[in-house]
Amino acid sequence: MKLVRKESLLMAMTAMMFLMASCDKNNGDNPTPNTPLGGEGNILLGTTVKNADGISGQSYLQQITELSGTLNMTKGVQIGFSGSVSVVGNDIFVFPEFGPNGKQSVEKYERSQEGMIHAGELQITPNSYPVNLTQVSTEKAYIPMFNLGRVMVINPKTMVKTGEIDLSQYAHTDNSPDPSYGIIRDGYYYLPLDQAGTNWMPYEDYRQVDVAVIDTKTDKVLKVISEKSSGLCFPTRPFLKDMIFTDEQNDIYIACAGYFGYNPQYIKNGFVCISAGKQEFDENRTWDISNTDITGSEYRAATVYNCKYIGNGKVAAYVGVLELMGDNPYTARNSMAVMIDLKAKSIEKIDGIPYTDGHSIAIEYHNGEVLFSAYGVNASGIFAYNLATGKVKQVLSSSGNIAFMHFFK
Amino acid sequence: MKSMKQKILYLFSTLLLMSISVLAQTGDGRIVGVIIDDSGEEPLSGATLFIEELKKGAVANEHGKFSFSNVPAATYTLTAKFMGYHTQTLKIIVGKDNPKKITIRLKAQTQSLSEVIVMGKSEARKIREQAMPVSVISMKQLQGTVSDVQGVLAKTVGVAIRSSGGVGSTSRLSVRGLEGKRVGFFIDETPLNDQSDFIDLNDIPTDMIDRIEIYKGVVPAKFGGSSMGGAVNIVIKEYPSRYADVSYTRESFNVNKAQTVFKRNLKDAGVVFGIGGTYTYADNDYTMESPYIKGLKIKREHDNFKKLVLGGSMKAKKWWFDEVEFEPVFIDTYKEVQGIETDIRKAHTKSRLYLLANKLEKENFLIEGLDLEMNTAIGYTQYSLIDTAKVWYDWNGNSYPASSPHGGELGTRYASNSDNEKLTMVNKLNLEYLVNKNNSFSLNSVFTLANGYPSDPTKEKSIGKKVDFNSYMRSWVGGATYDFRTTNDRFLNSFTTRLYWYSMKTSYQNIYINTPPEGIKLNKRSIGFSNAMRYRLTPSLMAKLSGGYDVRIPSENELLGDGYTITPSEKLLPERNLSVNASMLYDRTGTHPSNLQIEFGGYYMYLRDMIRFTKGILGAQYQNFGEMKTLGVELEVKADIFPFLFGYGNVTYQDLRDVRKYEENSKLPNATKGKRMPNIPYFMANAGLEFHKENLFGGKGQNTRLFTDMAFVEEYLYDFEITENTKRRIPRSTTIDIGFEHSFMNQRLFVSGKIKNVTDAMVLSEFNRPLPGRSFGVKLRYIFR
């Protein structure tokens, strides 16, 4: 009897060992090719579920059919934390998360109403921090590498690198001028240089706006133009596409974030302008908005976090409020939705949109409504501001931070 | 017939009394005697004797003699104890007139491998019988392996070890899913958590270890401090009079380890001297598959690790204290930083630790029945990160200038060349008062001092300002415990309450702005309590139930970062944990040839303000997480299946869930409520067999051991599982190790070998840290005695 018990124990242990050894499981990192991912719909949303520190967490990309109800993230495709997204037509380019731990490739998805299909990837230089794509033609696009001070030239169709533009010689003090988000006008790529220091903030001895002017035919840097008189700095944020835009006159406006409201001693921020037909700044049209009162609010703007040109000189924006910075700038609800009038040089608070943190500051213009993503104390999701009525209503609620929106036709 | 029986009984009693009477001393109402070694007749100087009924104690002198005076005539229970010997309890009848003369012969505890003394009813078993949930890895299990300490711990139920690379790489020990600083780390009960960045579990050769105690859930008060979730106490062997042990190990990837221990016991003086050391040199140049570039195989060529550990000890047993021990330790470490994302070629760290530890023990301290134990350790550490390379490389061999003109290839955008210093002191005091056989009180105190003096002019130049400042942290945890034990030892209850206090003084510089550094002064207090019960249903079957509300003070490292890449988070709150543990233990160790042990347990934990390590864009830091609930079950079975075959198996299921209702500072529903906590394994199992036989291949004085171990960890996620397409996964892993050990010359010469990860299974730590595949190792060891 005893022997039987011992043998049973031995057999059980051996069986357990073999069972374990024979176990195998796919890790799920290689989804079946050509299977549409990310859900159905014509609205693309990027959502972040952040950790308590605000500087880490996880992010998802998904499609939905309409802005209503509560966002369900179960169909989301996981991307790098706060990974940025560029959309060209029906092509979606997903960039790795900022920082040394990010993935070392740019992923391309081709989307339809049914979902997103993985359509290629482009290996990148580690630590280079590519964050956006600007298309020159169907076979050529630029990807600035923020940390490396270079611009990758690629074929977006084949996802093959075809060239590189080195901007490191224009860097102040360090080895990268931190190329940010550019725009193409008249065959030239106007690429703002953030000139950030080790702490990701502008150098104190270099508070100016630099923009590299690149000939899209030759990929050569024509020149770097600078706006030095106003003290504005940090032109565009590298993952936000609408902080550089052209208006109806083809004038380029560039929103400058300055010190993001982190530096109470230096809150200059606002807009610089490169007029149509010129390749120099028009300093007369520079506007430091930190000195402008905001109608409907006791605060002034300590930074521009994001903006979207609506037309007729109107810019919908999130501005940062110094007084609301709190202990943790990554989680502080210090962003206020405003409407900026570039012509009248006036700013007005949009009531009804909650103060939000830095992760939910997406702004889009769709069907006559300005849509703001916000992560308030009592409500989070997407809020629609009707330009005609001036009314705001929440159209989608979400437990995560909605960080990106795009409406496909 | 009755009269005959009485006569025999009388004769027998007389003979018995005669046989134990050796010394003759005079005096009324006294007990006099001598205590000697059972086999060698050697006097046991320092042995303690205690009369239960009178609460009187005595210590044997250098000749083993002892006496008690003013003992009223009665029958008494006398307990005799000496380290390394079986405790003996005997009934003594003291008459009115003549002194009672006795000779006590203590039997040495069973010897194993003839080299060390192991407790008879094994200390391991005694510890398992405590009310607290505990796993003990006995020497028997340690012998049946050629693993290092981490390897041994990893096979324990409820324990997970996650390394980030080869020998010398950082690794995280977790007990029941709780890890890092909250798991107490002790060597011979001396707390070493403050040194855990410099002293590694693997620095202690398994050959020197008597046993490893792993406390789970509720940690006994005597360990003091603010361990939460668990504690690991490594108990070093007691050595015989003369002893020398030399070994050399060589493993794959050019890993070399040399170890030696010398002990000399001056019995007459009651002093034991020891000296020992280890030297490890490892290239760790295994080939890994890049987690970033498909198909790219990378040979790790910048993972060199060198470590020298030198330790000495002087233990005196005949001074006023029952035991006084001084242990100086020196540890020198050099470690290169192996790149995975990029090809790091120059960055490295180095550190030097000087430590002096002292231990004092005295029974009947000042008053009878009061036992004192005090451990003090003073450490001074110098540590540096050197990251000044002007260029960095990708895996295609392309070079790029460092972000900062001062250099740096670690992706931090600044260079480092630090010269940090740290001074630590920890004092642990336990006072236990035995009121009577059933009741005892103890007071525990652990005071910790940690001063940090960081210096990194290169980093200052890179960033443009000083961001690391001197720090001064003090903490004190005071505890009081009441133990109740029924006379028949069936029931044991231990209640503890603790008071926690800590203070911190330092400065903080916001890296974004040029304002003067802010002074930071913290001063926080908290209270906790725990209760543990054990009930013996039968001599072999016992039930344990314990619960507690524990507090863990954030460590200095968590509050202030590490001076390397972990940024300060001085606003961290202490963690608080409510736990309930229940288990059943069936233990036939020493009472049945199978030595069968089966333990089945379950637990519940509710942790608030969990301190969690997170990595972000601007560096890593510790943060309070909110609330987490854990439900877990553990099953462990060990047995000698046959006299020549030992087997063990264990299974752990731990379900850690986020239970925060709302997102921080809001009324928004928590997106991860009810989700499994990320990056923590939840299902693990281990199993192993060990075959051992003397003179298997003929000859004399030889012993052979063959063994195999298997470890299984179910796939788990690096992130919360929010979508169906969660990508960052740590795949399921099953690894099998096999090995042998053959000893010659009556356990003097040992030859052993092992193959780790026989099937060359791919194992990842985090989601992107490839671990070594199959590796080989051989070891040669000789014991002089």
Side-chain angles (χ1 to χ4, degrees):
Chain A
M1 185 63 191
K2 273 182 186 172
L3 191 65
V4 170
R5 267 166 49 191
K6 280 176 181 172
E7 282 177 344
S8 314
L9 191 61
L10 178 63
M11 280 171 69
M13 283 180 169
T14 314
M16 193 170 155
M17 292 172 78
F18 278 104
L19 192 69
M20 289 175 186
S22 62
C23 289
D24 194 19
K25 192 171 179 178
N26 286 329
N27 68 15
D29 203 24
N30 299 310
T32 319
N34 301 323
T35 306
L37 301 167
E40 295 182 3
N42 284 323
I43 305 168
L44 183 67
L45 293 184
T47 312
T48 290
V49 177
K50 63 183 186 295
N51 291 329
D53 60 356
I55 57 166
S56 61
Q58 46 202 94
S59 301
Y60 304 92
L61 198 59
Q62 68 185 104
Q63 295 195 136
I64 58 170
T65 51
E66 58 178 5
L67 294 180
S68 68
T70 301
L71 181 66
N72 180 342
M73 288 184 279
T74 54
K75 293 284 178 200
V77 173
Q78 189 175 6
I79 61 174
F81 172 66
S82 288
S84 56
V85 178
S86 288
V87 178
V88 180
N90 278 321
D91 293 343
I92 301 167
F93 299 90
V94 179
F95 296 87
E97 74 180 65
F98 221 56
N101 300 313
K103 217 174 168 182
Q104 294 180 0
S105 58
V106 177
E107 306 295 321
K108 181 184 168 186
Y109 293 90
E110 286 170 1
R111 56 82 48 192
S112 65
Q113 161 85 23
E114 283 71 43
M116 300 155 51
I117 290 177
H118 192 254
E121 67 176 12
L122 172 69
Q123 201 68 40
I124 56 152
T125 305
N127 269 352
S128 58
Y129 307 175
V131 262
N132 63 70
L133 176 144
T134 301
Q135 183 157 311
V136 182
S137 67
T138 51
E139 294 184 354
K140 183 172 173 177
Y142 292 133
I143 298 177
M145 294 183 279
F146 191 86
N147 203 39
L148 210 57
R150 300 177 191 183
V151 177
M152 203 171 8
V153 186
I154 71 153
N155 182 334
K157 248 186 185 171
T158 58
M159 292 299 274
V160 171
K161 182 180 165 184
T162 56
E164 201 169 78
I165 304 166
D166 189 356
L167 299 169
S168 58
Q169 60 177 302
Y170 307 108
H172 174 70
T173 303
D174 56 29
N175 290 310
S176 171
D178 308 302
S180 190
Y181 213 124
I183 195 169
I184 292 168
R185 184 182 75 177
D186 304 333
Y188 290 93
Y189 179 45
Y190 291 83
L191 180 59
L193 307 176
D194 281 344
Q195 304 284 16
T198 304
N199 60 358
W200 305 90
M201 294 286 150
Y203 284 101
E204 292 196 359
D205 61 350
Y206 199 81
R207 287 164 175 162
Q208 64 183 54
V209 180
D210 288 349
V211 173
V213 183
I214 296 165
D215 187 335
T216 57
K217 290 183 196 74
T218 60
D219 300 334
K220 299 275 186 247
V221 180
L222 186 70
K223 58 182 172 178
V224 172
I225 57 173
S226 302
E227 204 280 12
K228 300 179 181 178
S229 62
S230 65
L232 294 183
C233 47
F234 216 98
T236 75
R237 299 174 72 187
F239 55 92
L240 292 173
K241 63 183 166 55
D242 294 314
M243 288 182 76
I244 185 164
F245 57 88
T246 50
D247 66 4
E248 293 85 343
Q249 287 72 44
N250 215 20
D251 296 336
I252 295 174
Y253 282 90
I254 305 171
C256 302
Y259 283 79
F260 298 87
Y262 288 12
N263 185 349
Q265 294 161 346
Y266 200 90
I267 57 167
K268 285 188 175 190
N269 70 99
F271 296 88
V272 290
C273 181
I274 306 166
S275 300
K278 293 189 178 168
Q279 287 181 338
E280 294 294 340
F281 285 101
D282 184 349
E283 294 187 357
N284 293 324
R285 297 171 75 177
T286 297
W287 179 24
D288 172 7
I289 66 168
S290 66
N291 296 317
T292 304
D293 287 334
I294 298 175
T295 308
S297 172
E298 57 190 308
Y299 305 122
R300 286 184 173 181
T303 184
V304 187
Y305 279 132
N306 192 15
C307 65
K308 174 83 187 177
Y309 186 65
I310 306 300
N312 199 24
K314 296 278 176 61
V315 180
Y318 268 123
V319 294
V321 177
L322 193 67
E323 291 85 344
L324 302 176
M325 284 301 279
D327 285 342
N328 183 346
Y330 310 109
T331 56
R333 290 181 170 86
N334 61 347
S335 308
M336 180 169 69
V338 296
M339 192 58 79
I340 296 172
D341 190 331
L342 292 173
K343 290 178 183 166
K345 295 208 168 172
S346 64
I347 311 173
E348 188 177 354
K349 180 175 184 272
I350 302 173
D351 282 327
I353 296 169
Y355 290 103
T356 179
D357 68 3
H359 292 276
S360 283
I361 48 158
I363 308 170
E364 283 300 330
Y365 182 47
H366 183 65
N367 287 346
E369 287 183 321
V370 185
L371 299 156
F372 291 85
S373 76
Y375 193 76
V377 173
N378 297 309
S380 76
I382 295 175
F383 298 79
Y385 171 57
N386 190 306
L387 282 171
T389 63
K391 293 266 191 298
V392 169
K393 65 171 180 183
Q394 183 169 4
V395 290
L396 180 74
S397 69
S398 161
S399 55
N401 278 93
I402 294 177
F404 178 86
M405 287 183 265
H406 183 85
F407 296 88
F408 292 102
K409 286 173 185 161
Chain B
M1 190 67 187
K2 190 181 175 186
S3 146
M4 188 64 184
K5 265 190 182 171
Q6 278 176 339
K7 275 181 185 171
I8 291 169
L9 193 64
Y10 179 72
L11 183 66
F12 182 74
S13 306
T14 312
L15 284 169
L16 187 72
L17 281 171
M18 282 171 71
S19 71
I20 59 169
S21 300
V22 170
L23 290 184
Q25 289 189 20
T26 55
D28 292 338
R30 294 176 68 205
I31 301 171
V32 294
V34 65
I35 182 162
I36 56 175
D37 177 274
D38 176 57
S39 55
E41 299 281 321
E42 205 173 317
L44 298 178
S45 164
T48 57
L49 299 108
F50 188 69
I51 302 173
E52 297 282 359
E53 289 79 2
L54 300 176
K55 303 295 158 214
K56 271 190 167 186
V59 179
N61 68 13
E62 60 196 64
H63 305 295
K65 292 179 183 173
F66 63 89
S67 68
F68 293 93
S69 49
N70 302 322
V71 181
T75 301
Y76 296 105
T77 313
L78 180 70
T79 306
K81 283 185 184 175
F82 191 56
M83 185 180 282
Y85 287 80
H86 287 287
T87 297
Q88 203 176 106
T89 304
L90 52 164
K91 292 278 178 200
I92 296 176
I93 303 161
V94 178
K96 282 182 183 172
D97 302 318
N98 300 319
K100 186 76 192 175
K101 300 164 219 166
I102 52 171
T103 297
I104 300 171
R105 295 165 197 275
L106 289 192
K107 199 173 176 186
Q109 287 161 345
T110 314
Q111 294 201 344
S112 176
L113 283 183
S114 313
E115 64 176 89
V116 285
I117 298 155
V118 185
M119 305 294 179
K121 184 199 173 182
S122 85
E123 191 71 15
R125 184 172 185 223
K126 270 168 64 183
I127 288 159
R128 282 179 73 94
E129 290 180 7
Q130 285 185 343
M132 317 293 175
V134 60
S135 288
V136 182
I137 301 171
S138 64
M139 193 189 309
K140 183 175 173 182
Q141 286 164 275
L142 289 165
Q143 283 161 5
T145 175
V146 280
S147 296
D148 48 28
V149 176
Q150 280 188 0
V152 173
L153 281 174
K155 293 173 201 158
T156 308
V157 67
V159 176
I161 302 248
R162 289 182 291 157
S163 304
S164 55
V167 174
S169 65
T170 51
S171 57
R172 293 190 286 165
L173 166 75
S174 73
V175 178
R176 293 183 168 174
L178 301 181
E179 63 183 21
K181 300 282 179 186
R182 62 173 78 79
V183 177
F185 172 36
F186 302 85
I187 297 178
D188 278 340
E189 295 184 18
T190 301
L192 289 169
N193 265 45
D194 280 316
Q195 305 299 344
S196 59
D197 293 327
F198 310 105
I199 300 179
D200 193 80
L201 284 167
N202 283 345
D203 291 343
I204 307 136
T206 45
D207 298 332
M208 284 179 71
I209 298 171
D210 178 75
R211 63 181 185 277
I212 303 172
E213 301 162 3
I214 301 153
Y215 294 89
K216 293 180 247 176
V218 176
V219 179
K222 67 173 181 171
F223 286 96
S226 60
S227 305
M228 178 181 284
V232 173
N233 181 36
I234 294 178
V235 183
I236 306 293
K237 280 172 183 171
E238 291 287 324
Y239 288 90
S241 309
R242 284 164 184 273
Y243 182 85
D245 184 339
V246 183
S247 71
Y248 171 72
T249 308
R250 184 169 166 85
E251 296 171 10
S252 300
F253 319 123
N254 199 19
V255 175
N256 300 272
K257 294 174 191 170
Q259 295 170 353
T260 182
V261 181
F262 298 94
K263 288 275 176 181
R264 179 81 175 92
N265 188 348
L266 305 175
K267 273 200 171 169
D268 292 341
V271 177
V272 183
F273 290 99
I275 187 163
T278 66
Y279 180 70
T280 307
Y281 178 97
D283 280 338
N284 292 316
D285 54 351
Y286 63 91
T287 300
M288 61 180 181
E289 193 167 326
S290 167
Y292 293 100
I293 305 168
K294 270 179 201 149
L296 177 69
K297 301 265 185 194
I298 298 169
K299 188 170 185 192
R300 296 167 67 110
E301 288 182 330
H302 196 254
D303 203 7
N304 180 256
F305 172 73
K306 287 180 263 192
K307 188 164 202 169
L308 173 70
V309 180
L310 288 177
S313 76
M314 198 277 285
K315 192 188 281 185
K317 291 195 169 179
K318 290 188 177 176
W319 297 2
W320 186 74
F321 285 98
D322 300 337
E323 188 175 312
V324 178
E325 187 171 15
F326 290 96
E327 286 184 295
V329 177
F330 170 73
I331 300 179
D332 184 271
T333 312
Y334 171 88
K335 172 97 181 76
E336 291 174 347
V337 179
Q338 171 63 45
I340 291 178
E341 290 81 9
T342 62
D343 183 6
I344 295 168
R345 298 188 182 184
K346 287 193 172 164
H348 61 275
T349 61
K350 55 185 185 179
S351 67
R352 277 188 170 180
L353 164 69
Y354 305 84
L355 184 80
L356 180 65
N358 169 255
K359 184 177 182 181
L360 300 173
E361 274 182 24
K362 183 155 178 70
E363 290 190 357
N364 299 319
F365 172 70
L366 301 177
I367 54 169
E368 280 185 5
L370 183 66
D371 297 343
L372 169 135
E373 190 185 314
M374 187 164 85
N375 301 65
T376 309
I378 298 171
Y380 169 72
T381 320
Q382 299 166 306
Y383 56 105
S384 310
L385 166 69
I386 295 97
D387 178 26
T388 53
K390 293 284 193 278
V391 291
W392 60 273
Y393 296 86
D394 65 19
W395 286 111
N396 295 319
N398 302 314
S399 67
Y400 305 88
S403 289
S404 162
H406 300 280
E409 54 177 340
L410 297 180
T412 51
R413 283 172 74 104
Y414 56 80
S416 283
N417 192 354
S418 59
D419 189 8
N420 305 317
E421 293 172 37
K422 187 169 167 181
L423 180 71
T424 57
M425 199 277 278
V426 58
N427 174 273
K428 181 164 79 73
L429 174 69
N430 285 335
L431 283 168
E432 184 176 1
Y433 182 67
L434 199 66
V435 181
N436 56 35
K437 213 174 169 181
N438 307 111
N439 300 285
S440 67
F441 282 105
S442 60
L443 293 173
N444 326 95
S445 151
V446 175
F447 174 77
T448 309
L449 172 154
N451 290 353
Y453 307 101
S455 167
D456 194 341
T458 306
K459 185 175 170 185
E460 276 175 45
K461 273 189 215 158
S462 292
I463 295 179
K465 60 184 140 188
K466 186 177 170 68
V467 292
D468 301 315
F469 298 91
N470 289 358
S471 63
Y472 308 90
M473 183 171 179
R474 310 281 179 269
S475 71
W476 179 74
V477 181
T481 300
Y482 166 65
D483 282 342
F484 170 75
R485 186 187 290 265
T486 56
T487 309
N488 58 11
D489 200 27
R490 272 204 145 179
F491 177 70
L492 169 67
N493 188 77
S494 181
F495 176 78
T496 298
T497 180
R498 288 190 179 103
L499 189 68
Y500 305 83
W501 167 85
Y502 69 98
S503 77
M504 160 72 78
K505 205 176 108 185
T506 186
S507 301
Y508 170 71
Q509 170 71 64
N510 185 330
I511 65 163
Y512 301 121
I513 54 175
N514 266 350
T515 48
E518 288 171 49
I520 291 176
K521 274 188 182 176
L522 298 175
N523 201 322
K524 292 189 177 166
R525 243 169 309 199
S526 207
I527 193 160
F529 53 87
S530 62
N531 192 64
M533 286 180 271
R534 186 264 286 148
Y535 186 78
R536 192 191 299 278
L537 301 162
T538 71
S540 299
L541 183 65
M542 64 185 73
K544 293 180 181 183
L545 180 67
S546 63
Y549 177 76
D550 293 314
V551 175
R552 187 182 72 88
I553 296 170
S555 72
E556 180 231 352
N557 183 297
E558 289 169 335
L559 285 164
L560 293 171
D562 63 351
Y564 296 163
T565 53
I566 302 173
T567 51
S569 37
E570 67 288 339
K571 294 189 174 85
L572 274 183
L573 299 169
E575 292 181 315
R576 293 163 293 146
N577 186 32
L578 180 71
S579 70
V580 180
N581 310 271
S583 65
M584 295 289 287
L585 171 65
Y586 180 71
D587 191 346
R588 299 298 308 271
T589 315
T591 60
H592 187 269
S594 69
N595 290 316
L596 175 67
Q597 288 180 0
I598 303 174
E599 184 156 19
F600 178 71
Y603 59 91
Y604 165 86
M605 292 196 289
Y606 196 98
L607 186 62
R608 284 172 201 272
D609 297 324
M610 177 189 187
I611 295 174
R612 192 169 160 223
F613 180 73
T614 54
K615 265 184 179 174
I617 298 162
L618 299 159
Q621 70 165 189
Y622 289 92
Q623 60 169 277
N624 286 116
F625 180 75
E627 295 171 33
M628 183 185 78
K629 186 176 79 179
T630 307
L631 280 170
V633 284
E634 300 171 340
L635 172 68
E636 184 166 38
V637 182
K638 298 175 192 173
D640 286 313
I641 302 163
F642 296 106
F644 52 84
L645 190 68
F646 169 75
Y648 74 91
N650 62 57
V651 185
T652 304
Y653 178 79
Q654 50 193 29
D655 193 28
L656 292 83
R657 301 272 171 174
D658 178 7
V659 286
R660 291 172 302 153
K661 205 169 174 188
Y662 299 110
E663 291 291 346
E664 305 273 316
N665 307 319
S666 77
K667 290 284 172 207
L668 302 176
N670 170 20
T672 54
K673 183 168 183 271
K675 307 275 181 199
R676 179 168 276 142
M677 290 300 292
N679 202 16
I680 300 172
Y682 68 93
F683 182 63
M684 300 166 286
N686 299 277
L689 291 170
E690 188 226 337
F691 167 85
H692 50 92
K693 189 156 177 57
E694 289 181 0
N695 305 319
L696 178 67
F697 307 106
K700 279 201 303 189
Q702 298 184 27
N703 190 42
T704 306
R705 293 168 185 275
L706 301 171
F707 49 85
T708 178
D709 293 306
M710 170 171 291
F712 168 82
V713 182
E714 177 57 297
E715 176 187 79
Y716 58 101
L717 301 179
Y718 188 74
D719 302 297
F720 283 110
E721 188 167 23
I722 289 175
T723 81
E724 297 160 357
N725 303 304
T726 301
K727 283 189 172 174
R728 299 195 292 190
R729 293 162 185 265
I730 296 93
R732 172 186 288 177
S733 72
T734 307
T735 52
I736 302 170
D737 300 344
I738 57 171
F740 77 92
E741 183 192 77
H742 190 84
S743 64
F744 301 89
M745 302 161 69
N746 287 317
Q747 314 268 7
R748 282 196 176 86
L749 176 65
F750 294 80
V751 181
S752 55
K754 65 178 167 184
I755 306 174
K756 277 188 187 171
N757 192 357
V758 176
T759 58
D760 204 18
M762 189 182 163
V763 188
L764 278 180
S765 180
E766 307 297 315
F767 64 100
N768 58 3
R769 293 283 174 271
L771 299 180
R774 180 169 44 234
S775 68
F776 302 87
V778 288
K779 181 177 176 181
L780 200 60
R781 179 180 178 212
Y782 191 81
I783 298 170
F784 300 86
R785 54 189 159 82

